[in-house]
Amino acid sequence: MTNNLDYQKAVEKLGQYGQEHVLKYYEELSKEQKEQLLAQISDIDLSVLASVKEKNGGAVKGKITPLAAMQLSEIRAKETEFRKLGLDAIRRGKVGAVLLAGGMGTRLGSEDPKGMYNIGVTKDVYIFQRLIENLLEVVKEAGVWIPLYVMTSDKNHQATTSFLREHDYFGYQSESITFFMQEMAPACDYQGKVYLEEKWKLSTSPNGNGGWYSSMYKWGIAQKAIADGVEWLNVFSVDNVLQRIADPCFVGAVLASGCVAGSKVVRKCAPDEKVGVMCLEDGKPSIVEYYELTEDLMNAKDANGDPAYYFGVILNYLFRVADLEKIREKNLPLHIVEKKIPYLDEEGKKIKPEAPNGYKFEQLVLDMIHELDSCLPFEVERNKEFAPIKNATGVDSVESARALCRENGIEL
Ligand code: UTP
């Protein structure tokens, strides 16, 4: 017998958010399906749906002023000192790496997790492989395994873990890899009504990359990392195949700066390039997204006469764990993103829409930066460290990433 109490609780919760329609097919479901649906309703955070009504282009920004980046010339002059500091921290087990691999990679258009994409030409070169090979270089130099935490989502956990296991973790020590899953958020139509993906399943989407630390905590992994002595976490995206991870020079520079975080940045290639740039917002570090960058900010100059907002973030951040703990329970801004959401129509038939038909809800890692007291923007050479794969062709694509890999002597 399905638990009546659970059913009542579900009705109450749905009523609170105006989502009773998701029980439309309840009576025709099997016992297991009923239980699955009720469990999902009980677990999921429906409060995000209220933000559809308030949707007005996101959070209002405070006063934006420049935040100077540590530039290549300074980094080169102090490289030996920085690398020594960074390697020492790594050798003492103070640095961990967090791979954000919970995204859906919809723009690339592959059904598989993005990391499984093969960019090789004459041999197999998977995205995951490229990242692990880069991290292995630091492991070899430091002579210690760096703990690697991998965030997946409900949609790709199984495929990701089996793929990496089958490939023997591309030479990484499996004991040093820990997987955890991020939370899911409901996906809804333009009126804020949740879609059904199956008669027994609400449509959901990964809740963005901003929840990585709280998910790590929910899984007990953050606590374990702290107990193991990890003091810094280098968070990075899955899609940059030239990503330098746990880069000793970056770690050392952040340690030397006294900042509680660092962000790798690249010099923009044009004032209107579509990357978020580092700045101060009401005196605290922040990132202004390209679509928020006004004409005035785009043309503003710093004290040296250089463009003031010219260093774009590449989703490679170093966070001090003690400060992540302070902001763990903070509610980050919610970003509402239009999306193609598969759903059941009025007759219960599955539809895969060709065009966006609703919203997904995301929190972003870049919003964590604004919660912190300080962050060092650390310049890296664009052509050596930034080859993102977002699209199948054109800008930030497999083709452009291949060309950059070749430029860096990586055989494909
Ligand atoms: P993107 O912003 O490129 O999103 O992610 P995406 O979902 O992978 O791709 P599109 O927009 O559907 O094409 C930047 C990084 O953040 C991770 C991604 O895996 C990637 O490493 N991410 C994104 C998550 O881990 N979880 C999310 O919910 C979203």
Side-chain angles (χ1 to χ4, degrees):
M1 197 188 77
T2 312
N3 190 332
N4 255 329
L5 191 67
D6 288 346
Y7 180 79
Q8 277 317 320
K9 277 195 189 144
V11 173
E12 242 169 72
K13 181 170 176 181
L14 294 169
Q16 204 183 330
Y17 299 102
Q19 305 292 337
E20 297 92 332
H21 62 281
V22 302
L23 293 172
K24 180 172 170 187
Y25 301 103
Y26 190 75
E27 289 313 323
E28 52 181 278
L29 303 181
S30 70
K31 179 172 171 288
E32 285 74 29
Q33 290 169 339
K34 282 182 178 165
E35 282 171 3
Q36 193 181 327
L37 179 60
L38 294 183
Q40 193 191 18
I41 295 169
S42 154
D43 287 347
I44 204 156
D45 177 9
L46 294 173
S47 65
V48 295
L49 297 163
S51 50
V52 169
K53 299 212 170 60
E54 297 145 22
K55 190 175 186 289
N56 58 5
V60 179
K61 284 270 174 200
K63 184 171 165 27
I64 306 292
T65 50
L67 170 61
M70 182 184 272
Q71 300 189 21
L72 289 174
S73 51
E74 183 181 353
I75 295 168
R76 284 188 187 123
K78 296 184 182 157
E79 190 169 346
T80 315
E81 175 202 335
F82 290 160
R83 289 185 66 81
K84 193 169 166 298
L85 260 177
L87 277 172
D88 181 56
I90 292 167
R91 287 190 179 119
R92 293 205 276 156
K94 291 186 177 188
V95 181
V98 183
L99 165 58
L100 302 175
M104 298 283 285
T106 47
R107 282 171 285 173
L108 184 59
S110 160
E111 290 290 311
D112 288 330
K114 209 184 239 186
M116 285 172 61
Y117 200 88
N118 188 353
I119 62 162
V121 179
T122 61
K123 58 177 190 173
D124 292 338
V125 181
Y126 300 99
I127 293 182
F128 279 139
Q129 177 181 0
R130 275 272 60 255
L131 297 172
I132 291 179
E133 280 172 359
N134 279 354
L135 183 57
L136 276 172
E137 282 182 22
V138 184
V139 166
K140 284 201 187 107
E141 186 180 5
V144 293
W145 289 100
I146 294 166
L148 172 63
Y149 307 97
V150 182
M151 182 167 85
T152 60
S153 86
D154 190 38
K155 306 263 180 196
N156 67 15
H157 185 78
Q158 197 53 44
T160 302
T161 50
S162 335
F163 176 81
L164 286 170
R165 197 179 330 108
E166 277 155 26
H167 286 87
D168 238 343
Y169 305 95
F170 296 106
Y172 216 77
Q173 186 188 49
S174 62
E175 293 80 7
S176 300
I177 304 185
T178 314
F179 293 93
F180 65 102
M181 277 158 82
Q182 67 176 100
E183 323 281 299
M184 302 298 282
C188 64
D189 67 15
Y190 291 122
Q191 277 68 49
K193 298 282 182 201
V194 180
Y195 278 119
L196 280 176
E197 185 175 312
E198 301 281 357
K199 291 182 177 176
W200 59 90
K201 196 167 184 227
L202 275 54
S203 293
T204 56
S205 194
N207 69 343
N209 53 28
W212 68 273
Y213 190 71
S214 65
S215 297
M216 218 174 142
Y217 189 87
K218 277 193 191 114
W219 280 62
I221 290 164
Q223 299 87 318
K224 167 87 170 49
I226 294 170
D228 290 346
V230 174
E231 292 179 13
W232 294 86
L233 286 172
N234 182 198
V235 182
F236 62 99
S237 69
V238 73
D239 47 36
N240 174 6
V241 288
L242 289 181
Q243 190 90 262
R244 304 305 308 178
I245 307 149
D247 169 1
C249 187
F250 178 42
V251 173
V254 176
L255 288 176
S257 74
C259 287
V260 303
S263 165
K264 284 203 167 185
V265 292
V266 292
R267 206 171 280 262
K268 286 206 291 191
C269 56
D272 59 351
E273 190 190 348
K274 289 183 173 169
V275 292
V277 292
M278 291 280 328
C279 63
L280 288 174
E281 179 186 347
D282 294 333
K284 289 183 87 183
S286 187
I287 287 140
V288 45
E289 283 284 13
Y290 67 90
Y291 49 81
E292 295 166 333
L293 203 65
T294 59
E295 207 53 31
D296 279 354
L297 291 177
M298 225 183 267
N299 298 320
K301 300 274 188 287
D302 66 14
N304 300 325
D306 295 324
Y309 304 96
Y310 224 63
F311 288 97
V313 290
I314 59 168
L315 223 176
N316 187 321
Y317 301 102
L318 187 69
F319 288 98
R320 192 165 76 174
V321 180
D323 294 78
L324 287 169
E325 275 297 308
K326 291 185 205 156
I327 64 167
R328 180 161 44 80
E329 294 190 4
K330 279 252 162 88
N331 265 334
L332 296 178
L334 208 55
H335 297 255
I336 305 179
V337 189
E338 274 197 72
K339 193 193 165 210
K340 294 180 214 164
I341 306 159
Y343 67 102
L344 299 183
D345 69 7
E346 282 303 304
E347 281 75 51
K349 212 169 84 219
K350 276 191 206 179
I351 308 286
K352 242 185 146 183
E354 298 287 323
N357 59 334
Y359 299 123
K360 66 174 176 175
F361 301 88
E362 292 196 326
Q363 291 184 328
L364 301 180
V365 62
L366 56 84
D367 287 319
M368 293 170 92
I369 295 293
H370 187 52
E371 300 296 332
L372 301 172
D373 292 331
S374 54
C375 179
L376 175 75
F378 176 92
E379 185 186 6
V380 298
E381 260 183 89
R382 191 180 179 112
N383 278 20
K384 289 197 174 152
E385 296 203 23
F386 190 42
I389 298 182
K390 298 284 185 193
N391 309 300
T393 52
V395 180
D396 295 344
S397 65
V398 181
E399 288 161 24
S400 60
R402 277 189 186 132
L404 284 162
C405 281
R406 288 200 189 95
E407 202 179 306
N408 284 282
I410 295 160
E411 272 180 51
L412 294 174

